[in-house]
Coordinates of all heavy atoms in Angstrom, one line a residue:
V1383 N 14.4 -111.5 -52.7 CA 15.1 -112.8 -52.9 C 14.4 -113.8 -52.2 O 14.1 -115.0 -52.6 CB 16.5 -112.7 -52.7 CG1 17.2 -114.1 -53.0 CG2 17.2 -111.7 -53.7
L1384 N 14.3 -113.6 -50.9 CA 13.6 -114.6 -50.0 C 12.1 -114.9 -50.4 O 11.8 -116.0 -50.6 CB 13.5 -114.0 -48.5 CG 14.8 -114.1 -47.7 CD1 14.4 -113.4 -46.3 CD2 15.2 -115.5 -47.5
W1385 N 11.4 -113.9 -50.7 CA 10.1 -114.0 -51.2 C 10.0 -114.9 -52.4 O 9.2 -115.8 -52.7 CB 9.4 -112.8 -51.4 CG 8.7 -112.1 -50.2 CD1 9.3 -111.2 -49.4 CD2 7.4 -112.5 -49.6 NE1 8.4 -110.9 -48.3 CE2 7.2 -111.6 -48.5 CE3 6.4 -113.3 -49.9 CZ2 6.2 -111.7 -47.6 CZ3 5.3 -113.4 -49.1 CH2 5.1 -112.5 -48.0
A1386 N 10.9 -114.6 -53.5 CA 10.9 -115.2 -54.7 C 11.3 -116.7 -54.5 O 10.7 -117.6 -55.2 CB 11.9 -114.5 -55.6
I1387 N 12.4 -117.0 -53.8 CA 12.8 -118.5 -53.7 C 11.8 -119.2 -53.0 O 11.4 -120.4 -53.5 CB 14.1 -118.5 -52.9 CG1 15.4 -117.8 -53.8 CG2 14.5 -119.9 -52.6 CD1 16.7 -117.8 -53.2
I1388 N 11.2 -118.7 -51.9 CA 10.2 -119.5 -51.1 C 8.9 -119.6 -51.8 O 8.2 -120.6 -51.8 CB 10.1 -119.0 -49.7 CG1 11.4 -119.0 -49.0 CG2 9.0 -119.7 -49.0 CD1 11.4 -118.3 -47.6
G1389 N 8.6 -118.5 -52.6 CA 7.3 -118.4 -53.2 C 7.2 -119.2 -54.6 O 6.1 -119.2 -55.1
Q1390 N 8.2 -119.7 -55.1 CA 8.2 -120.4 -56.4 C 7.2 -121.6 -56.3 O 7.2 -122.5 -55.5 CB 9.6 -121.1 -56.7 CG 10.7 -120.1 -56.9 CD 12.0 -120.8 -57.1 OE1 12.1 -121.9 -57.6 NE2 13.1 -120.3 -56.6
Q1391 N 6.1 -121.4 -57.1 CA 5.0 -122.4 -57.4 C 4.4 -122.7 -56.0 O 3.9 -123.8 -55.8 CB 5.7 -123.7 -57.9 CG 6.3 -123.5 -59.2 CD 6.9 -124.8 -59.8 OE1 7.5 -125.7 -59.0 NE2 6.9 -125.0 -61.1
M1392 N 4.3 -121.7 -55.2 CA 3.6 -121.8 -53.8 C 2.6 -120.6 -53.7 O 2.8 -119.5 -54.3 CB 4.5 -121.8 -52.7 CG 5.5 -122.9 -52.6 SD 4.7 -124.5 -52.3 CE 6.0 -125.6 -52.4
N1393 N 1.4 -120.9 -53.0 CA 0.5 -119.9 -52.8 C 1.0 -118.9 -51.8 O 1.9 -119.2 -51.0 CB -0.9 -120.4 -52.5 CG -0.9 -121.2 -51.3 OD1 -0.3 -120.8 -50.1 ND2 -1.6 -122.3 -51.2
L1394 N 0.4 -117.7 -51.7 CA 0.8 -116.7 -50.8 C 0.8 -117.1 -49.3 O 1.7 -116.8 -48.6 CB 0.0 -115.5 -51.0 CG 0.4 -114.2 -50.2 CD1 1.8 -113.8 -50.6 CD2 -0.6 -113.0 -50.6
A1395 N -0.3 -117.8 -48.9 CA -0.5 -118.1 -47.5 C 0.7 -119.0 -47.0 O 1.2 -118.9 -46.0 CB -1.8 -118.8 -47.3
F1396 N 1.0 -120.1 -47.9 CA 2.0 -121.0 -47.5 C 3.4 -120.3 -47.4 O 4.3 -120.5 -46.6 CB 2.2 -122.1 -48.5 CG 3.2 -123.2 -48.1 CD1 3.0 -124.2 -47.2 CD2 4.4 -123.1 -48.8 CE1 3.9 -125.0 -46.9 CE2 5.4 -124.1 -48.5 CZ 5.1 -125.1 -47.5
T1397 N 3.6 -119.4 -48.5 CA 4.9 -118.6 -48.5 C 5.1 -117.8 -47.2 O 6.2 -117.8 -46.6 CB 5.0 -117.7 -49.7 OG1 4.8 -118.5 -50.9 CG2 6.3 -117.0 -49.8
R1398 N 4.0 -117.2 -46.7 CA 4.1 -116.5 -45.5 C 4.5 -117.3 -44.3 O 5.2 -116.8 -43.5 CB 2.7 -115.7 -45.3 CG 2.5 -114.4 -46.1 CD 1.1 -113.9 -45.8 NE 0.8 -112.8 -46.6 CZ -0.4 -112.4 -47.0 NH1 -1.5 -113.1 -46.5 NH2 -0.7 -111.3 -47.6
R1399 N 3.8 -118.4 -44.3 CA 4.1 -119.4 -43.1 C 5.6 -119.7 -43.0 O 6.2 -119.8 -42.1 CB 3.2 -120.6 -43.2 CG 1.7 -120.4 -42.9 CD 0.9 -121.6 -42.5 NE 1.0 -122.5 -43.6 CZ 0.0 -122.5 -44.5 NH1 -1.0 -121.6 -44.6 NH2 0.1 -123.5 -45.6
V1400 N 6.1 -120.1 -44.2 CA 7.5 -120.6 -44.2 C 8.4 -119.3 -43.9 O 9.4 -119.5 -43.2 CB 7.9 -121.1 -45.7 CG1 9.3 -121.5 -45.7 CG2 6.9 -122.4 -45.9
L1401 N 8.1 -118.2 -44.5 CA 8.9 -117.0 -44.1 C 8.9 -116.7 -42.6 O 10.0 -116.4 -41.9 CB 8.4 -115.8 -44.9 CG 9.1 -115.7 -46.3 CD1 8.3 -114.5 -47.1 CD2 10.6 -115.2 -46.2
A1402 N 7.6 -116.8 -42.0 CA 7.6 -116.5 -40.6 C 8.3 -117.6 -39.8 O 8.9 -117.2 -38.8 CB 6.1 -116.6 -40.2
R1403 N 8.4 -118.8 -40.2 CA 9.1 -119.9 -39.5 C 10.6 -119.6 -39.6 O 11.3 -119.6 -38.7 CB 8.9 -121.2 -40.0 CG 7.4 -121.9 -39.8 CD 7.4 -123.2 -40.3 NE 6.0 -123.7 -40.3 CZ 5.3 -124.0 -41.4 NH1 5.9 -123.9 -42.5 NH2 4.0 -124.4 -41.3
L1404 N 11.0 -119.1 -40.8 CA 12.5 -118.8 -41.0 C 12.8 -117.6 -40.1 O 13.9 -117.6 -39.5 CB 12.8 -118.5 -42.5 CG 14.2 -118.1 -42.9 CD1 15.1 -119.3 -42.6 CD2 14.2 -117.6 -44.4
A1405 N 12.1 -116.6 -40.2 CA 12.3 -115.4 -39.3 C 12.3 -115.7 -37.8 O 13.2 -115.3 -37.1 CB 11.3 -114.3 -39.7
G1406 N 11.4 -116.5 -37.4 CA 11.2 -116.9 -36.0 C 12.4 -117.7 -35.5 O 12.8 -117.6 -34.3
A1407 N 13.0 -118.5 -36.5 CA 14.2 -119.3 -36.1 C 15.4 -118.5 -35.8 O 16.4 -118.9 -35.1 CB 14.4 -120.4 -37.0
L1408 N 15.5 -117.3 -36.5 CA 16.8 -116.5 -36.5 C 16.6 -115.2 -35.7 O 17.7 -114.6 -35.5 CB 17.2 -116.3 -37.9 CG 17.6 -117.5 -38.7 CD1 17.8 -117.2 -40.1 CD2 18.9 -118.1 -38.1
S1409 N 15.4 -114.8 -35.3 CA 15.3 -113.4 -34.8 C 14.2 -113.5 -33.6 O 13.3 -114.3 -33.8 CB 14.8 -112.4 -35.7 OG 15.7 -112.3 -36.9
E1410 N 14.5 -112.8 -32.6 CA 13.6 -112.8 -31.5 C 12.5 -111.8 -31.9 O 12.7 -110.8 -32.6 CB 14.3 -112.3 -30.2 CG 15.2 -113.3 -29.6 CD 15.8 -112.9 -28.3 OE1 15.3 -111.8 -27.8 OE2 16.8 -113.6 -27.8
K1411 N 11.3 -112.0 -31.3 CA 10.2 -111.1 -31.5 C 10.5 -109.7 -30.8 O 11.1 -109.6 -29.7 CB 8.9 -111.7 -31.0 CG 8.3 -112.8 -31.7 CD 7.0 -113.2 -31.2 CE 6.3 -114.3 -31.9 NZ 5.1 -114.8 -31.3
T1412 N 10.0 -108.6 -31.5 CA 10.1 -107.4 -30.9 C 9.0 -107.3 -29.8 O 8.2 -108.2 -29.7 CB 9.9 -106.2 -31.9 OG1 8.6 -106.5 -32.5 CG2 10.8 -106.4 -33.0
E1413 N 9.0 -106.1 -29.1 CA 8.0 -106.0 -28.0 C 6.7 -106.0 -28.6 O 5.7 -106.3 -27.9 CB 8.4 -104.6 -27.2 CG 9.6 -104.7 -26.4 CD 9.7 -103.5 -25.6 OE1 8.9 -102.6 -25.6 OE2 10.8 -103.4 -24.9
S1414 N 6.5 -105.5 -29.9 CA 5.3 -105.5 -30.5 C 4.7 -106.9 -31.0 O 3.7 -107.1 -31.4 CB 5.3 -104.6 -31.7 OG 6.1 -105.1 -32.7
G1415 N 5.7 -108.0 -31.0 CA 5.3 -109.3 -31.4 C 5.7 -109.6 -32.8 O 5.6 -110.6 -33.4
L1416 N 6.3 -108.5 -33.5 CA 6.7 -108.7 -34.9 C 8.1 -109.2 -35.1 O 8.9 -109.0 -34.1 CB 6.6 -107.4 -35.6 CG 5.2 -106.7 -35.8 CD1 5.2 -105.4 -36.5 CD2 4.2 -107.7 -36.7
V1417 N 8.4 -109.9 -36.1 CA 9.7 -110.6 -36.3 C 10.3 -110.0 -37.6 O 9.6 -110.0 -38.7 CB 9.5 -112.1 -36.3 CG1 11.0 -112.7 -36.5 CG2 8.9 -112.6 -35.1
P1418 N 11.6 -109.6 -37.6 CA 12.1 -109.1 -38.9 C 12.6 -110.3 -39.8 O 12.9 -111.4 -39.3 CB 13.4 -108.3 -38.4 CG 13.7 -109.0 -37.2 CD 12.4 -109.5 -36.5
L1419 N 12.5 -110.1 -41.2 CA 13.1 -111.2 -42.0 C 14.7 -111.2 -41.7 O 15.2 -110.1 -41.5 CB 12.8 -110.8 -43.5 CG 11.4 -111.0 -43.8 CD1 11.1 -110.5 -45.3 CD2 11.0 -112.5 -43.8
P1420 N 15.2 -112.3 -41.8 CA 16.7 -112.5 -41.5 C 17.5 -111.9 -42.6 O 17.1 -111.7 -43.8 CB 16.8 -114.0 -41.4 CG 15.8 -114.6 -42.3 CD 14.6 -113.6 -42.2
L1421 N 18.9 -111.8 -42.3 CA 19.8 -111.3 -43.2 C 20.6 -112.5 -43.8 O 20.6 -113.6 -43.3 CB 20.8 -110.4 -42.6 CG 20.3 -109.2 -41.9 CD1 21.4 -108.3 -41.2 CD2 19.7 -108.2 -43.0
P1422 N 21.3 -112.5 -44.9 CA 22.1 -113.6 -45.5 C 23.0 -114.2 -44.5 O 23.1 -115.4 -44.4 CB 22.8 -112.9 -46.6 CG 21.9 -111.8 -47.1 CD 21.3 -111.2 -45.9
A1423 N 23.7 -113.4 -43.7 CA 24.7 -113.9 -42.7 C 24.1 -114.7 -41.7 O 24.7 -115.6 -41.1 CB 25.4 -112.8 -42.1
Q1424 N 22.8 -114.4 -41.4 CA 22.1 -115.4 -40.4 C 21.7 -116.7 -41.0 O 21.7 -117.7 -40.4 CB 20.9 -114.5 -39.9 CG 21.1 -113.2 -39.1 CD 19.9 -112.6 -38.7 OE1 19.2 -112.0 -39.5 NE2 19.6 -112.4 -37.4
I1425 N 21.1 -116.6 -42.3 CA 20.7 -117.8 -42.9 C 21.7 -118.8 -43.1 O 21.5 -120.0 -43.0 CB 19.9 -117.4 -44.1 CG1 18.7 -116.6 -43.9 CG2 19.5 -118.6 -45.0 CD1 18.0 -116.0 -45.1
V1426 N 23.0 -118.4 -43.4 CA 24.0 -119.3 -43.6 C 24.4 -120.1 -42.4 O 25.1 -121.1 -42.6 CB 25.2 -118.6 -44.3 CG1 25.0 -118.1 -45.8 CG2 25.8 -117.6 -43.3
T1427 N 23.9 -119.7 -41.3 CA 24.3 -120.4 -40.1 C 23.4 -121.7 -40.0 O 23.6 -122.6 -39.2 CB 24.0 -119.7 -38.9 OG1 22.7 -119.2 -38.7 CG2 25.0 -118.4 -38.9
L1428 N 22.4 -121.9 -40.8 CA 21.5 -122.9 -40.8 C 22.0 -124.0 -41.7 O 22.8 -123.8 -42.7 CB 20.1 -122.5 -41.2 CG 19.3 -121.4 -40.4 CD1 17.9 -121.0 -41.2 CD2 19.2 -121.9 -39.0
S1429 N 21.4 -125.2 -41.5 CA 21.8 -126.3 -42.3 C 20.5 -126.6 -43.3 O 19.4 -126.2 -43.0 CB 22.1 -127.6 -41.5 OG 20.9 -128.0 -40.8
V1430 N 20.8 -127.5 -44.3 CA 19.7 -127.9 -45.1 C 18.6 -128.6 -44.3 O 17.4 -128.4 -44.5 CB 20.2 -128.9 -46.2 CG1 19.1 -129.5 -47.0 CG2 21.1 -128.1 -47.2
E1431 N 19.0 -129.4 -43.3 CA 18.1 -130.1 -42.4 C 17.2 -129.2 -41.7 O 16.0 -129.4 -41.5 CB 18.8 -131.1 -41.5 CG 19.5 -132.3 -42.1 CD 20.7 -131.9 -43.1 OE1 21.3 -130.9 -42.8 OE2 20.9 -132.7 -44.1
D1432 N 17.8 -128.0 -41.2 CA 17.0 -126.9 -40.5 C 15.9 -126.4 -41.4 O 14.8 -126.2 -40.9 CB 18.0 -125.8 -40.1 CG 18.9 -126.2 -39.0 OD1 18.6 -127.1 -38.2 OD2 20.1 -125.7 -38.9
L1433 N 16.3 -126.2 -42.7 CA 15.3 -125.6 -43.5 C 14.2 -126.6 -44.0 O 13.1 -126.3 -44.1 CB 16.0 -125.1 -44.8 CG 17.0 -123.9 -44.5 CD1 17.7 -123.5 -45.8 CD2 16.2 -122.7 -44.0
L1434 N 14.7 -127.9 -44.1 CA 13.6 -128.9 -44.4 C 12.6 -128.9 -43.3 O 11.4 -129.2 -43.6 CB 14.4 -130.3 -44.6 CG 15.2 -130.5 -45.9 CD1 15.9 -131.8 -45.8 CD2 14.5 -130.3 -47.1
A1435 N 13.1 -128.8 -42.0 CA 12.1 -128.9 -40.9 C 11.1 -127.7 -41.0 O 10.1 -127.8 -40.4 CB 12.9 -128.8 -39.6
M1436 N 11.4 -126.6 -41.7 CA 10.5 -125.5 -41.8 C 9.6 -125.5 -43.1 O 8.9 -124.7 -43.5 CB 11.3 -124.2 -41.9 CG 12.2 -123.9 -40.8 SD 13.3 -122.4 -41.0 CE 14.4 -122.6 -39.8
Q1437 N 9.7 -126.8 -43.7 CA 8.9 -127.1 -44.9 C 9.5 -126.5 -46.2 O 8.8 -126.3 -47.2 CB 7.5 -126.7 -44.7 CG 6.7 -127.6 -43.8 CD 5.1 -127.4 -43.9 OE1 4.7 -126.4 -43.3 NE2 4.4 -128.3 -44.6
F1438 N 10.8 -126.2 -46.2 CA 11.5 -126.0 -47.5 C 11.6 -127.3 -48.2 O 11.8 -128.4 -47.6 CB 12.8 -125.3 -47.2 CG 13.0 -123.9 -46.9 CD1 12.5 -123.4 -45.7 CD2 13.4 -123.1 -47.9 CE1 12.7 -122.1 -45.4 CE2 13.5 -121.7 -47.6 CZ 13.1 -121.2 -46.4
S1439 N 11.6 -127.2 -49.5 CA 12.0 -128.4 -50.3 C 13.5 -128.4 -50.3 O 14.2 -127.5 -49.9 CB 11.5 -128.3 -51.7 OG 12.2 -127.2 -52.4
K1440 N 14.1 -129.6 -50.7 CA 15.6 -129.8 -50.7 C 16.1 -128.8 -51.7 O 17.2 -128.1 -51.4 CB 15.8 -131.2 -51.1 CG 17.4 -131.5 -51.2 CD 18.1 -131.4 -49.9 CE 19.4 -132.1 -49.9 NZ 20.4 -131.6 -51.0
A1441 N 15.5 -128.7 -52.8 CA 16.0 -127.8 -53.8 C 16.0 -126.3 -53.5 O 17.0 -125.6 -53.6 CB 15.2 -127.9 -55.2
K1442 N 14.9 -125.8 -52.8 CA 14.9 -124.5 -52.3 C 15.9 -124.3 -51.1 O 16.4 -123.2 -51.0 CB 13.4 -124.2 -51.9 CG 12.5 -124.1 -53.0 CD 11.1 -123.6 -52.6 CE 10.1 -123.5 -53.6 NZ 8.8 -123.0 -53.2
A1443 N 16.1 -125.1 -50.3 CA 16.9 -125.2 -49.1 C 18.4 -125.0 -49.7 O 19.2 -124.1 -49.3 CB 16.9 -126.4 -48.3
D1444 N 18.8 -125.8 -50.7 CA 20.1 -125.7 -51.3 C 20.3 -124.4 -52.0 O 21.4 -123.7 -51.8 CB 20.3 -126.9 -52.3 CG 20.6 -128.2 -51.6 OD1 20.9 -128.2 -50.5 OD2 20.3 -129.2 -52.3
C1445 N 19.3 -123.9 -52.7 CA 19.4 -122.6 -53.5 C 19.5 -121.5 -52.6 O 20.3 -120.6 -52.6 CB 18.0 -122.6 -54.3 SG 18.0 -121.0 -55.2
L1446 N 18.7 -121.4 -51.4 CA 18.7 -120.3 -50.5 C 20.2 -120.3 -49.8 O 20.7 -119.2 -49.7 CB 17.7 -120.4 -49.5 CG 17.6 -119.3 -48.3 CD1 17.4 -118.0 -49.1 CD2 16.5 -119.6 -47.4
L1447 N 20.6 -121.4 -49.4 CA 22.0 -121.4 -48.7 C 23.1 -121.0 -49.7 O 24.0 -120.2 -49.4 CB 22.3 -122.7 -48.1 CG 21.4 -123.1 -46.9 CD1 21.7 -124.5 -46.5 CD2 21.6 -122.1 -45.8

Side-chain angles (χ1 to χ4, degrees):
V1383 175
L1384 283 176
W1385 277 97
I1387 291 175
I1388 297 172
Q1390 294 174 37
Q1391 300 179 326
M1392 294 296 174
N1393 62 44
L1394 184 58
F1396 181 80
T1397 302
R1398 283 178 180 154
R1399 286 198 299 272
V1400 175
L1401 272 171
R1403 291 189 193 112
L1404 178 65
L1408 294 168
S1409 305
E1410 293 185 7
K1411 287 185 179 180
T1412 62
E1413 291 184 4
S1414 67
L1416 295 175
V1417 183
L1419 287 174
L1421 301 172
Q1424 294 174 297
I1425 294 174
V1426 293
T1427 64
L1428 300 175
S1429 66
V1430 170
E1431 289 69 26
D1432 292 330
L1433 295 174
L1434 291 176
M1436 299 175 199
Q1437 286 191 283
F1438 277 76
S1439 67
K1440 177 67 163 53
K1442 289 184 180 181
D1444 286 337
C1445 178
L1446 181 59
L1447 293 176

